[in-house]
C-alpha cells in the first residue's frame, strides 16, 4: 500500500473515539498500514504528542460493542509511533502552517470528524495553503453523514465540495456500506442465482427493515436533538439496507455499476407523508443537551413502496429507534403464503438478513415435527458468520472503508446524486413531524407504529435471537 498521511480533523470527537481509532488499531494489527504512514490528529484541546498517545490508549480500552477484543501493547506502541498531534482552531491560519510542516507525504487523506458548520473553514484553508493540491501524489477527503440536513443543504454542501475537490477525491461515508453483513447481501443475491427469481412482487408479500437499539442517546444530545432518528439513521443506513436488498443486479462489480443500481432504487421510493409515525422515549427531554420542550424523534416507523415493475404493490415497512426492547438490525423479506394448501398453515417463509447481532442470513421454513402426526414447525436454515470477539473475525466497517479509500475504490461510498436522492425521499416525510408519540423505554415504540402496519393486516416481526447464536 502507498505510504500516506491521514489527517483527522476532530481526533477527540465521538466518531474518532468510537470508530476511527479502533479501526486504525485493527489495521495496525493486521499490517494494513504501510511503513512510514503517519496520522495527524487535530482538535482544539491542548495536548502534547504524549498526551495524544495516552488519550488513544484510554479510548481503545473503553467499553465498545463493536470492538471487544484485546488491545495488545506491542500493536499499540507501533500505532503510537505514527501519531502526531496539532492543537488549534480550524478557522486559524496557524493551524494549517503547522499542518504543512507535519505532512511528510504527497499522498494525503483528510478525514472530517468535526462539526459540519466548520467544514467550509477547513476546505478554504486547505486550499489557501495548497494542501488539497495533488502534486505528484493523491489527495482524498473522507466525509461522514450527515451530508446536509435536507435536500437543499445537501446540494449546497455537494457544490461546495466541488470547489475544492473532484468527485473522485470525495469519499462520502455511510459506515453501513462498510459492514460485511450488508456487502454480503450482494454476494448472496448475485452469486447464488437460485434466490433471485423469488425477489419480486410475485413471491414477496412485504419487506420489513428494523434497526432498534436498547440504549439512548448517551452524551450526543447536542447533535441528536438537532437531527432525530429519521435523519440520523433513516436517511442513510436504512435506505441503503433497502437498496442492497432490492436493487437489480449491477452490470458488473464496479463503483459506477453498483452505485447506479442503488440510486435507481433510491429514486423510485415513494414518500407517503401520511404513513409515518414519530416517537420519543419517555425521559428523552431530560437528557444532557436536549431541549426541555424537544419534539425530536428518537423513533420512527414508515411505510413506502418502490415504484418499479419488479416490486409494484409490495409494501415496505421501516422502523428504527433508541431505548427500545432490543438492539437488532435486520431486513426481513416476507414471502406470500403458498398457493399449495396441502398443509393448512399461515406461517410465511421469511428471508432474514441479520446485520447484527447474531449475524447471518437465514431462511425461515416449515418442517415436519418428528412424530406420528403431520404437524409443522418453523425452523431456520442458516448461514452464520463465525465470530470470535477475541480475533474480531469480521472487519470493522471503518477498517473496510479506510482500506477502500486508500486503494481508491468508491463502490461502497455515496456520490452526490445518491445522497440527494435519499434526501428527496426524506424531506416530505420529515416535514410532517409534529409532536412525537411518547413511548416507554424498553418497549417496541409507540402504539401508533403498530397501528401503521396492522391497518394492512400485518404485524411487526419480533426479531429472533434463536439463530446464529454466538
Ligand atoms: C450512527 C448513528 O450513524 O449509527 C447512531 O448516528 C447509531 O445514532 C449508529 O447508533 C448505529 O450504527 P451501528 O453500527 O452501531 O449499527
Amino acid at each position: 500500500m502507498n505510504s500516506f498521511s491521514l489527517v483527522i480533523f476532530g481526533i477527540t470527537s465521538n466518531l474518532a473515539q468510537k470508530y476511527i481509532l479502533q479501526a486504525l488499531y485493527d489495521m495496525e494489527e493486521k499490517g494494513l498500514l504501510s511503513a512510514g504512514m503517519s496520522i495527524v490528529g487535530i482538535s482544539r484541546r491542548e495536548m502534547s504528542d504524549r498526551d495524544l498517545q495516552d488519550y488513544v490508549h484510554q479510548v481503545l480500552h473503553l467499553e465498545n460493542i463493536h470492538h471487544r477484543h484485546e488491545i495488545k501493547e506491542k500493536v499499540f506502541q507501533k500505532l503510537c509511533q505514527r501519531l502526531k498531534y496539532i492543537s488549534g482552531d480550524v478557522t486559524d491560519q496557524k493551524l494549517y502552517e503547522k499542518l504543512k510542516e507535519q505532512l511528510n507525504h504527497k499522498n494525503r487523506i483528510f478525514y472530517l470528524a468535526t462539526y459540519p458548520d466548520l467544514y467550509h473553514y477547513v476546505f478554504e484553508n486547505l486550499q489557501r495553503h495548497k494542501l488539497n493540491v495533488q502534486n505528484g501524489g493523491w489527495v482524498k477527503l473522507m466525509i461522514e453523514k450527515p451530508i446536509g440536513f435536507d435536500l437543499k443543504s445537501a446540494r449546497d454542501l455537494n457544490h461546495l465540495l466541488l470547489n475544492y475537490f473532484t468527485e473522485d477525491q470525495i469519499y462520502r461515508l455511510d459506515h453501513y456500506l462498510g459492514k460485511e453483513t450488508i456487502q454480503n447481501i450482494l454476494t448472496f443475491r448475485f452469486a447464488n442465482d437460485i434466490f433471485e427469481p423469488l425477489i419480486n412482487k410475485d413471491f414477496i408479500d412485504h419487506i420489513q427493515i428494523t434497526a432498534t437499539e436498547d440504549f439512548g442517546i448517551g452524551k450526543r444530545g447536542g447533535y441528536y436533538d438537532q437531527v432525530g432518528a429519521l435523519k440520523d439513521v433513516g436517511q442513510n443506513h436504512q435506505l441503503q439496507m433497502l437498496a442492497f436488498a432490492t436493487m437489480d443486479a449491477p452490470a458488473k462489480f464496479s463503483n459506477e455499476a453498483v452505485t447506479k443500481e442503488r440510486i435507481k432504487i433510491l429514486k423510485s421510493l415513494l414518500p407517503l407523508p401520511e404513513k409515518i409515525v414519530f416517537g420519543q422515549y419517555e425521559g428523552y427531554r431530560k437528557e444532557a443537551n436536549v431541549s426541555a420542550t424537544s419534539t425530536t424523534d428518537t423513533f420512527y416507523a414508515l411505510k413506502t413502496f418502490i415504484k418499479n415493475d419488479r416490486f409494484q404493490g409490495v409494501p415496505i415497512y421501516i422502523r428504527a429507534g433508541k431505548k427500545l426492547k432490543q438492539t437488532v438490525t435486520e431486513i426481513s423479506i416476507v414471502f406470500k403464503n403458498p398457493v399449495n394448501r396441502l398443509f393448512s398453515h399461515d406461517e410465511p417463509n421469511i428471508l432474514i438478513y441479520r446485520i447484527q447481532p447474531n449475524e447471518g442470513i437465514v431462511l425461515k421454513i416449515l418442517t415436519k415435527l418428528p412424530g406420528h402426526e403431520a404437524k409443522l414447525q418453523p425452523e431456520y436454515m442458516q448461514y452464520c458468520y463465525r465470530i470470535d470477539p477475541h480475533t474480531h473475525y469480521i472487519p470493522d466497517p471503518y477498517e473496510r472503508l479506510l482500506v477502500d479509500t486508500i486503494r481508491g475504490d468508491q463502490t461502497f461510498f455515496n456520490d452526490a446524486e445518491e445522497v440527494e436522492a435519499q434526501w428527496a425521499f426524506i424531506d416530505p416525510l420529515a416535514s410532517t413531524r409534529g409532536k412525537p408519540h411518547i413511548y416507554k423505554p424498553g418497549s417496541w415504540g409507540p402504539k401508533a407504529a403498530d397501528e401503521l402496519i396492522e391497518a394492512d393486516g400485518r404485524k411487526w416481526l419480533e426479531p429472533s435471537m434463536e439463530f446464529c447464536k454466538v
Side-chain angles (χ1 to χ4, degrees):
M1 243 179 234
N2 289 337
S3 209
F4 64 99
S5 297
L6 171 66
V7 180
I8 305 174
F9 287 94
I11 188 94
T12 53
S13 63
N14 179 65
L15 178 67
Q17 293 186 6
K18 205 167 150 194
Y19 298 110
I20 307 171
L21 291 169
Q22 318 287 339
L24 288 169
Y25 172 88
D26 287 355
M27 291 169 77
E28 185 70 89
E29 187 171 32
K30 294 177 185 170
L32 293 171
L33 298 176
S34 51
M37 175 268 181
S38 63
I39 302 167
V40 183
I42 297 176
S43 94
R44 274 189 307 198
R45 203 186 284 180
E46 281 297 335
M47 279 198 288
S48 63
D49 285 352
R50 177 68 223 202
D51 294 339
L52 177 68
Q53 293 177 10
D54 292 345
Y55 158 77
V56 173
H57 190 268
Q58 187 197 341
V59 160
L60 289 174
H61 286 84
L62 289 177
E63 173 69 15
N64 188 326
I65 51 168
H66 296 303
H67 202 265
R68 288 203 165 124
H69 52 271
E70 186 200 346
I71 303 296
K72 297 181 188 132
E73 195 54 30
K74 228 170 120 187
V75 178
F76 171 71
Q77 287 305 338
K78 242 180 126 184
L79 185 65
C80 281
Q81 285 170 17
R82 305 177 185 278
L83 292 174
K84 292 262 166 348
Y85 183 69
I86 306 178
S87 120
D89 195 309
V90 295
T91 60
D92 184 359
Q93 297 304 310
K94 282 193 229 113
L95 171 69
Y96 300 86
E97 282 153 22
K98 287 190 230 161
L99 179 58
K100 209 166 185 171
E101 283 164 25
Q102 292 288 0
L103 286 179
N104 45 4
H105 295 104
K106 291 195 164 159
N107 296 331
R108 293 158 193 177
I109 297 177
F110 295 110
Y111 199 131
L112 295 184
T114 186
Y115 299 105
D117 47 359
L118 299 177
Y119 291 170
H120 68 281
Y121 295 112
V122 177
F123 302 153
E124 196 54 51
N125 285 317
L126 288 177
Q127 169 134 311
R128 186 166 300 156
H129 293 84
K130 298 198 172 57
L131 293 169
N132 63 337
V133 176
Q134 307 200 87
N135 184 9
W138 46 252
V139 174
K140 295 168 189 173
L141 179 82
M142 294 183 81
I143 179 169
E144 287 264 340
K145 61 150 267 260
I147 306 289
F149 47 88
D150 60 10
L151 178 57
K152 179 170 180 314
S153 55
R155 274 194 184 133
D156 291 346
L157 178 53
N158 283 332
H159 280 140
L160 182 77
L161 281 164
L162 290 178
N163 291 337
Y164 306 96
F165 302 94
T166 51
E167 189 62 40
D168 63 349
Q169 291 178 281
I170 307 167
Y171 289 71
R172 291 182 197 76
L173 188 148
D174 172 336
H175 78 279
Y176 264 56
L177 272 71
K179 286 191 190 262
E180 285 287 331
T181 44
I182 300 273
Q183 295 189 4
N184 196 24
I185 297 174
L186 298 188
T187 314
F188 176 81
R189 292 185 56 205
F190 304 131
N192 304 293
D193 280 359
I194 55 171
F195 303 105
E196 223 22 39
L198 304 176
I199 307 299
N200 58 57
K201 61 177 185 238
D202 296 335
F203 295 93
I204 297 176
D205 177 73
H206 74 282
I207 297 174
Q208 293 192 21
I209 300 186
T210 291
T212 51
E213 293 170 330
D214 63 6
F215 46 89
I217 55 159
K219 292 183 189 149
R220 299 168 70 218
Y223 155 78
Y224 198 88
D225 205 38
Q226 303 297 316
V227 181
L230 180 65
K231 294 185 179 183
D232 181 43
V233 296
Q235 183 269 348
N236 36 74
H237 308 332
Q238 286 195 291
L239 292 187
Q240 287 296 331
M241 286 164 70
L242 177 58
F244 274 74
T246 56
M247 71 196 222
D248 284 341
K252 55 181 179 164
F253 206 88
S254 68
N255 172 33
E256 291 71 25
V258 175
T259 303
K260 184 172 145 212
E261 293 304 334
R262 287 200 307 259
I263 293 179
K264 266 164 64 185
I265 289 292
L266 295 166
K267 285 195 169 170
S268 55
L269 292 178
L270 181 68
L272 295 170
E274 69 287 2
K275 293 286 179 193
I276 182 158
V277 169
F278 293 102
Q280 187 186 81
Y281 63 78
E282 213 176 80
Y284 170 75
R285 292 175 189 179
K286 295 207 178 93
E287 299 275 22
N289 300 320
V290 166
S291 149
T293 54
S294 172
T295 55
T296 297
D297 49 311
T298 61
F299 172 97
Y300 79 92
L302 67 81
K303 176 182 177 182
T304 182
F305 290 97
I306 299 172
K307 292 176 290 168
N308 67 13
D309 186 48
R310 184 174 186 174
F311 291 102
Q312 198 194 352
V314 177
I316 295 155
Y317 303 94
I318 306 181
R319 62 175 167 166
K322 303 222 179 259
K323 282 230 175 159
L324 296 166
K325 192 164 173 189
Q326 240 173 4
T327 297
V328 58
T329 305
E330 67 181 19
I331 306 169
S332 302
I333 315 281
V334 183
F335 291 96
K336 293 183 176 173
N337 276 328
V339 227
N340 171 352
R341 307 304 294 180
L342 188 57
F343 301 100
S344 61
H345 64 86
D346 55 8
E347 282 252 9
N349 295 128
I350 308 177
L351 171 63
I352 304 169
Y353 299 112
R354 172 59 63 81
I355 310 306
Q356 63 210 25
N358 300 22
E359 288 82 351
I361 299 177
V362 305
L363 187 59
K364 193 172 181 194
I365 53 166
L366 285 162
T367 61
K368 182 179 177 306
L369 187 70
H372 300 289
E373 311 297 328
K375 277 204 176 142
L376 304 182
Q377 69 175 351
E379 278 291 349
Y380 294 106
M381 282 174 74
Q382 43 183 301
Y383 156 68
C384 303
Y385 288 80
R386 280 168 290 145
I387 300 182
D388 177 344
H390 300 291
T391 54
H392 48 107
Y393 177 83
I394 297 187
D396 184 90
Y398 279 81
E399 173 190 325
R400 288 280 295 108
L401 296 174
L402 273 160
V403 170
D404 283 355
T405 306
I406 298 164
R407 63 185 175 202
D409 182 350
Q410 290 182 308
T411 309
F412 294 109
F413 293 84
N414 300 142
D415 68 9
E417 186 183 358
E418 186 166 18
V419 170
E420 289 170 23
Q422 294 178 164
W423 281 119
F425 171 69
I426 293 296
D427 269 6
L429 302 173
S431 63
T432 66
R433 191 180 82 185
K435 244 176 129 187
H437 299 266
I438 304 296
Y439 61 92
K440 287 244 173 290
S443 69
W444 279 117
K447 207 162 159 273
D450 296 337
E451 287 160 6
L452 174 86
I453 189 167
E454 284 165 12
D456 296 344
R458 301 187 176 94
K459 268 184 174 321
W460 292 111
L461 299 165
E462 180 100 9
S464 169
M465 290 299 146
E466 287 311 303
F467 55 79
C468 297
K469 289 185 197 163
V470 187

